Amino acid sequence: MTGRFGRQPTGWDPRLSARVSRRARSVAGQVFALMAVIVVLLITAATLALVFQARYDSQRDARNRSLAAAEAFAHAPGIVAALRSPDPTAVLQPLAESARRASGVDFIAVMDVRGIRYTDSRPELIGQRATDVARAVAGQSFTEVFTGEPSDAVRAVVPVRDADGRVVGLVGTGIEVQKVSQALEGQLPLLLGAAAGGLLLGTAGAGLVSRRLQRQTRGLGAAEMNRMNEHHEAVLHAVREGVLIIGNDQRLILANDEARRLLDLPADAEERTVSELGLDPRTTELLASGRVVTDHVHLAGDRLLAVNVRPTKPYAGRPAGNVVTLRDSTELASVSGRAEVARSRLQLLYDAGVRIGTTLDVVRTAEELSEVAVPRFADFVTVELLEPVLRGDEPAHVAGAYTEMRRAAMSGIRTDSPLQPVGDVIRFVVPTAPMAAALDAGHAVLAADLNAAMGWRAQDAQGTRVALDYGLHSLISVPLQARGVVLGMANFWRADTPEPFDDEDLSFAEELGARAAVSIDNARRFTREHAMAVTLQRSLLPRALPEQSAVDVAYRYLPAKAGVGGDWFDVIQLPGARVALVVGDVVGHGVHAAATMGRLRTAVHNFSTLDLPPDELLGHLDELIHRIDQNETGGRGADGSGAGSDGGDGGPDEEGADGGGESTGITGATCLYVVYDPTSGQCRMASAGHPGPALIRPDGPVEFPELPAGLPLGVGGMPFEATEFQLPEGSRLVLFTDGLVEDRDRDFDTGLRLLGDALSRPGRSTDQACSDILVTMLFPVPSDDIVLMVADTRRLEAGRIAEWEVPGDPSAVSRVRNAASAQLVAWGLENVAFPTELILSELVTNAIRYGSAPVRVRLLRDRGLICEVSDGSSTSPHLRYAATTDEGGRGLFLVAQYAERWGTRYTDRGKVIWAELPLAGGAEPAAPVPLDLDALEDLAW
């Protein structure tokens, strides 16, 4: 024990503590501890059993004594007469006390059949009722351990019967539980003493056994003994080195398995002298000499042995001797060569795992397989693949049905190969040829000598003759299989290497082919999914831009090499010669992202027909996406998707790459919506988490206007804010997705600087600008989709715009109509004068009647004639069918019949009702009589 302040007490020996600790860990110490525990448990169990037995015996003795005393008193002469006397207590109390003292019980109570006491050792209880005596009243004697008032006792209750057998009273006797316990306690010292003696004897015996075992095992622990046994077994049976132990009397004490093999010893070699073992004289002399040697090279029969001899010390009564070790040097060179071959094969497999499948291109993966095996394994390697695999399709699952493949890759130590070049169709028409046999069997086939491979030679007699003359002499054909499906064939050829392929080479080639097949299958599946996603993506993107005069647009769309994403763009023609430019990006890659993009593009088209401002359109789109996400994610809402605001740059292993997985909603999509008006040069835009455009004004620097930050679509909770610019004619807007400027190796700010430099070169058309930007910005292997749209703004000439202010007087309608007719004549559009006048009459009349000032009329001559009537009211007209008895309600119907398109858009201070007519006029609706335009002013909507 340590001292109070941490110092060791006087006399403490750390070596003694170490010995005690080692002994506790030894086998002897563990046996002693186990035996001591067993002794303690046994003695404790025996002591407890004796205590319980003594307690049971004490209670049983108390029951017997109480019952005997009660029976004796109940049957005593005169007890019935005493119970029937006028004062039973006076008669029975002295008798009961005398009997109690004589019997040794603690009380004797005489009671009537109701349990009222006539006598008791405690006088104060006389006259009180005793409890739980119903069984005795019924004529049954019983004993019990009674707990309760006046005291806990082992009691007996006996009925008193008269001559007729009737119960006329009760006698209760008992011994208090406390006295029973005292009797037991008197026996405890003896029991505990016996237990202590047994414990000492058992512990002493365990100590003797442990001491004996301690000497036998030399204090070793279980782990050390197991380790010694393992070492012994390893030396005797496992090591590839012979071991002999020879005594001083030249008798062989021990020989392990390897020594028996190397010296060809008989089975009963132990305990025989060296000279009796049948060894050659030189070996016998070396083993019997006992001289110390180190790595002595000794010829024993046809084996060259490296011998070591060391003396041993006497042990456990055995005399000293010698230990001889033998190592077969004959096999060492062969083993070293095989180990080097195995090491090189493992290194080649490792290199194959690293180099094969670096891309997700089927042909490139086949080329990597051919390159990795030359020249370390084969002199030439050819890889043929099925046509569906090259296209990315699933090959047929019919074994043995492959008769031709296309050569996809070939590598060799020389370029003048006699084999068919890449791109040729390779046919397997002879079933006994190695290629056809491998495909039919489903495993690799070895043709160690091609001169003897008659099936191969019969397949193409002339070509195989050239190959044999070239020097090709050995072949392994391996079917490339993944998921049980054949994808192609790999052939390993040897020409300059003189050794033919063997069975070990066959196993290695099959392992190499299996690893390559998995990579080829992954590339095939990616090719299929990538082609599917690209097809879907391109089908959902605009196939042709609408004809419009507001902007001159050029665009580029490039899908990611690692997986098609959800980037999209659009050019939407709006009323009033305006145009909307849209770019967006959906999180993820693959078919799901492409399908989501199509849904968003459709939604934007639908909302654009409402002619909403950019910020309001994004708000409606955000609400729609939030609702879709809640429906598709089981009510988890926008936060359940875990998406970000950029398109991601995932590779082919992402969920979208294979089109599988649970739908993750749309949250995380971004969008930039720009509206340009060529009549005023006003440009209004809003962003939902998307990068803003680049702006180049005529003869101005490249700008990246700051847009109000907006959250990605579907997040919800925050309104969007629009920004307006006044653009002169010839300004250039460049819209793009973040895949153009950002990648793993380039941050967003660096990408913007490069884009600004690429846009700063003037004098290029929009199409040339797109090409130059991609040359400057494009990554070697784009990890995300790229959308680029360059738009040069135009202005509608003032001569193509006519405007009039309309007074609130209905008589002004005819003046406006006449002015518009004169303007149409000036523009040379007399052929559309009639429908234009009709439409203006209806729109102006109703604006004056139902709208509010100011009322304005504007005619725009663009690709069509646009009639616009604006007023300060926000009331929207609706097309309806008028009954034959209605006096009005047909005006808007006529407008819809004559106009190519018509609609309403709301402004900050009212609305604009517009109608578009083709400049060619078109076919007018047939009317039985000419319409009176002045009379139309009286028609109502």
Side-chain angles (χ1 to χ4, degrees):
M1 297 176 60
T2 58
R4 181 177 181 184
F5 298 103
R7 294 191 297 271
Q8 303 294 344
T10 304
W12 179 82
D13 189 353
R15 291 174 296 177
L16 176 61
S17 176
R19 287 197 298 271
V20 172
S21 176
R22 286 196 300 271
R23 182 170 182 178
R25 293 194 299 269
S26 67
V27 172
Q30 295 177 18
V31 170
F32 172 76
L34 179 60
M35 294 181 64
V37 170
I38 293 174
V39 168
V40 170
L41 292 177
L42 290 176
I43 293 177
T44 301
T47 303
L48 291 176
L50 290 175
V51 168
F52 284 115
Q53 183 64 38
R55 181 178 180 183
Y56 172 75
D57 292 344
S58 298
Q59 286 189 358
R60 184 179 61 183
D61 180 64
R63 287 174 183 266
N64 293 336
R65 288 169 55 194
S66 299
L67 182 60
E71 289 285 354
F73 198 86
H75 294 87
I79 188 66
V80 176
L83 287 171
R84 292 175 177 174
S85 65
D87 189 1
T89 300
V91 178
L92 295 175
Q93 179 67 15
L95 297 175
E97 284 298 305
S98 177
R100 180 185 65 79
R101 289 191 293 270
S103 62
V105 297
D106 290 330
F107 65 87
I108 296 178
V110 182
M111 302 163 280
D112 62 8
V113 292
R114 296 172 300 170
I116 303 299
R117 292 182 179 90
Y118 291 140
T119 68
D120 199 284
S121 59
R122 295 166 62 178
E124 67 272 12
L125 297 177
I126 297 174
Q128 295 187 12
R129 182 186 297 274
T131 60
D132 299 333
V133 295
R135 285 182 290 171
V137 174
Q140 178 185 356
S141 300
F142 67 90
T143 62
E144 66 177 355
V145 179
F146 174 80
T147 57
E149 295 295 336
S151 62
D152 299 341
V154 178
R155 73 171 184 174
V157 182
V158 177
V160 179
R161 302 177 183 271
D162 60 8
D164 297 329
R166 294 191 302 271
V167 176
V168 296
L170 307 172
V171 176
T173 62
I175 300 174
E176 294 183 353
V177 172
Q178 181 179 3
K179 291 185 178 181
V180 176
S181 302
Q182 289 175 353
L184 176 62
E185 291 173 359
Q187 300 177 20
L188 284 179
L190 178 61
L191 294 174
L192 294 178
L199 179 62
L200 290 176
L201 290 176
T203 306
L208 292 175
V209 173
S210 174
R211 188 176 183 85
R212 176 71 175 175
L213 189 60
Q214 179 83 9
R215 288 196 299 269
Q216 294 293 329
T217 61
R218 294 180 173 268
L220 297 176
E224 295 168 323
M225 295 185 67
N226 287 334
R227 186 163 57 251
M228 288 182 61
N229 182 65
E230 291 171 358
H231 291 172
H232 180 268
E233 292 295 326
V235 169
L236 288 182
H237 305 293
V239 299
R240 297 286 293 174
E241 187 165 337
V243 178
L244 301 172
I245 300 179
I246 301 173
N248 283 340
D249 56 357
Q250 298 185 4
R251 290 187 179 275
L252 179 64
I253 299 174
L254 182 145
N256 71 346
D257 296 343
E258 182 67 7
R260 291 175 181 275
R261 186 183 69 84
L262 294 176
L263 297 178
D264 194 18
L265 297 176
D268 58 345
E270 278 89 350
E271 301 302 330
R272 296 172 63 177
T273 62
V274 174
S275 59
E276 297 173 348
L277 298 179
L279 305 175
D280 63 88
R282 294 182 63 254
T283 303
T284 302
E285 189 277 331
L286 175 63
L287 297 179
S289 67
R291 67 177 182 270
V292 177
V293 296
T294 301
D295 289 337
H296 172 68
V297 178
H298 176 78
L299 182 63
D302 58 351
R303 297 181 184 274
L304 195 63
L305 305 179
V307 182
N308 291 273
V309 181
R310 292 290 184 274
T312 62
K313 296 180 180 180
Y315 169 69
R318 289 183 177 274
N322 298 300
V323 174
V324 182
T325 62
L326 311 171
R327 187 171 62 254
D328 191 353
S329 299
T330 307
E331 298 179 354
L332 186 60
S334 175
V335 171
S336 299
R338 290 198 299 270
E340 179 61 26
V341 171
R343 187 200 64 79
S344 64
R345 295 290 169 81
L346 288 175
Q347 182 64 39
L348 181 55
L349 285 178
Y350 171 79
D351 293 343
V354 173
R355 293 175 54 185
I356 298 177
T358 58
T359 67
L360 288 171
D361 181 82
V362 174
V363 174
R364 180 55 193 154
T365 304
E367 292 173 350
E368 290 168 344
L369 168 60
S370 65
E371 292 168 358
V372 78
V374 175
R376 289 187 287 175
F377 179 66
D379 297 331
F380 293 92
V381 177
T382 59
V383 181
E384 292 82 51
L385 297 177
L386 293 169
E387 290 287 354
V389 175
L390 290 170
R391 297 192 304 267
D393 296 334
E394 184 80 15
H397 292 249
V398 182
Y402 312 105
T403 58
E404 62 179 40
M405 298 182 184
R406 187 170 298 277
R407 180 150 291 168
M410 182 171 65
S411 295
I413 57 175
R414 298 195 300 272
T415 58
D416 57 339
S417 168
L419 302 171
Q420 291 176 255
V422 172
D424 276 14
V425 174
I426 310 300
R427 293 178 173 83
F428 314 110
V429 294
V430 179
T432 57
M435 297 83 165
L439 289 173
D440 183 63
H443 58 75
V445 170
L446 168 65
D449 184 4
L450 288 177
N451 285 286
M454 304 312 296
W456 174 71
R457 299 184 64 172
Q459 186 165 265
D460 180 8
Q462 181 178 357
T464 54
R465 183 71 264 165
V466 173
L468 291 173
D469 293 342
Y470 182 84
L472 296 178
H473 62 84
S474 192
L475 166 67
I476 294 179
S477 295
V478 182
L480 301 178
Q481 302 178 93
R483 300 175 292 108
V485 179
V486 173
L487 306 174
M489 167 72 64
N491 295 296
F492 301 92
W493 310 79
R494 278 187 177 173
D496 292 10
T497 303
E499 296 83 5
F501 289 115
D502 55 21
D503 290 338
E504 291 186 2
D505 296 325
L506 182 69
S507 300
F508 174 78
E510 194 153 24
E511 174 68 19
L512 185 61
R515 296 193 179 196
V518 173
S519 298
I520 291 174
D521 189 50
N522 288 338
R524 179 199 62 78
R525 295 173 63 189
F526 172 76
T527 300
R528 180 191 63 187
E529 301 298 339
H530 187 268
M532 186 187 305
V534 168
T535 302
L536 177 62
Q537 179 88 326
R538 293 193 182 278
S539 68
L540 295 175
L541 289 172
R543 298 189 178 183
L545 298 183
E547 295 183 358
Q548 44 80 35
S549 304
V551 291
D552 178 20
V553 179
Y555 65 91
R556 297 288 188 275
Y557 167 73
L558 296 177
K561 294 295 184 182
V564 177
D567 293 14
W568 93 94
F569 67 95
D570 220 330
V571 177
I572 304 173
Q573 187 176 7
L574 298 178
R578 295 169 305 135
V579 68
L581 307 177
V582 190
V583 291
D585 186 358
V586 176
V587 164
H589 293 84
V591 175
H592 174 71
T596 300
M597 177 275 294
R599 299 168 72 181
L600 286 182
R601 181 169 175 257
T602 301
V604 171
H605 263 277
N606 291 336
F607 285 130
S608 67
T609 60
L610 302 177
D611 208 353
L612 299 173
D615 50 343
E616 294 185 23
L617 184 142
L618 291 180
H620 285 288
L621 190 62
D622 177 72
E623 181 182 358
L624 173 65
I625 292 174
H626 184 71
R627 186 165 60 251
I628 292 175
D629 280 344
Q630 285 185 320
N631 294 337
E632 293 189 352
T633 57
R636 288 185 294 134
D639 296 337
S641 65
S645 60
D646 56 2
D649 57 357
D653 55 344
E654 294 188 4
E655 179 181 320
D658 58 9
E662 181 184 353
S663 173
T664 57
I666 308 177
T667 302
T670 64
C671 183
L672 176 65
Y673 191 81
V674 179
V675 176
Y676 173 69
D677 188 349
T679 62
S680 62
Q682 184 185 57
C683 180
R684 191 171 186 179
M685 64 185 70
S687 170
H690 197 89
L695 172 61
I696 307 99
R697 303 177 192 270
D699 301 326
V702 179
E703 306 175 27
F704 293 96
E706 289 290 338
L707 297 183
L711 296 175
L713 297 172
V715 175
M718 295 295 292
F720 297 97
E721 186 177 351
T723 301
E724 293 186 4
F725 300 94
Q726 190 68 30
L727 301 182
E729 185 174 9
S731 297
R732 174 166 289 180
L733 284 170
V734 180
L735 286 71
F736 54 89
T737 56
D738 56 1
L740 178 69
V741 296
E742 189 177 21
D743 197 75
R744 295 183 179 94
D745 302 323
R746 186 169 70 199
D747 58 31
F748 187 80
D749 293 335
T750 302
L752 282 187
R753 287 195 297 271
L754 290 175
L755 179 59
D757 295 340
L759 292 173
S760 60
R761 292 180 290 228
R764 294 171 300 168
S765 66
T766 54
D767 194 70
Q768 291 172 339
C770 285
S771 300
D772 292 346
I773 290 172
L774 290 183
V775 169
T776 303
M777 304 292 296
L778 194 61
F779 299 98
V781 181
S783 59
D784 197 5
D785 289 8
I786 293 176
V787 166
L788 173 65
M789 186 160 52
V790 178
D792 285 348
T793 62
R794 299 171 180 168
R795 293 290 292 271
L796 196 61
E797 298 90 338
R800 292 175 172 266
I801 304 173
E803 295 183 275
W804 297 276
E805 187 84 20
V806 182
D809 185 3
S811 61
V813 175
S814 59
R815 294 195 298 272
V816 170
R817 188 173 62 241
N818 294 332
S821 179
Q823 183 63 59
L824 293 176
V825 171
W827 283 343
L829 300 178
E830 296 89 345
N831 56 334
V832 295
F834 174 77
T836 303
E837 292 179 31
L838 185 148
I839 290 172
L840 284 178
S841 296
E842 290 303 318
L843 298 182
V844 174
T845 298
N846 286 281
I848 294 174
R849 181 174 299 177
Y850 301 107
S852 60
V855 178
R856 293 185 177 86
V857 174
R858 186 172 71 165
L859 295 181
L860 303 177
R861 183 186 176 186
D862 190 34
R863 296 179 180 272
L865 180 64
I866 303 172
C867 303
E868 296 182 345
V869 177
S870 62
D871 65 83
S873 171
S874 59
T875 303
S876 176
H878 297 282
L879 180 65
R880 64 187 181 90
Y881 291 93
T884 56
T885 56
D886 291 342
E887 296 182 359
R890 298 178 178 84
L892 199 57
F893 178 78
L894 293 175
V895 172
Q897 293 299 308
Y898 279 93
E900 187 177 53
R901 293 194 306 158
W902 71 277
T904 304
R905 72 172 182 272
Y906 294 94
T907 64
D908 296 336
R909 298 182 180 180
K911 67 177 181 295
V912 177
I913 303 177
W914 54 270
E916 292 186 10
L917 291 87
L919 296 182
E924 298 180 357
V929 293
L931 292 175
D932 185 358
L933 297 181
D934 292 329
L936 291 177
E937 298 174 9
D938 296 329
L939 295 177
W941 291 349

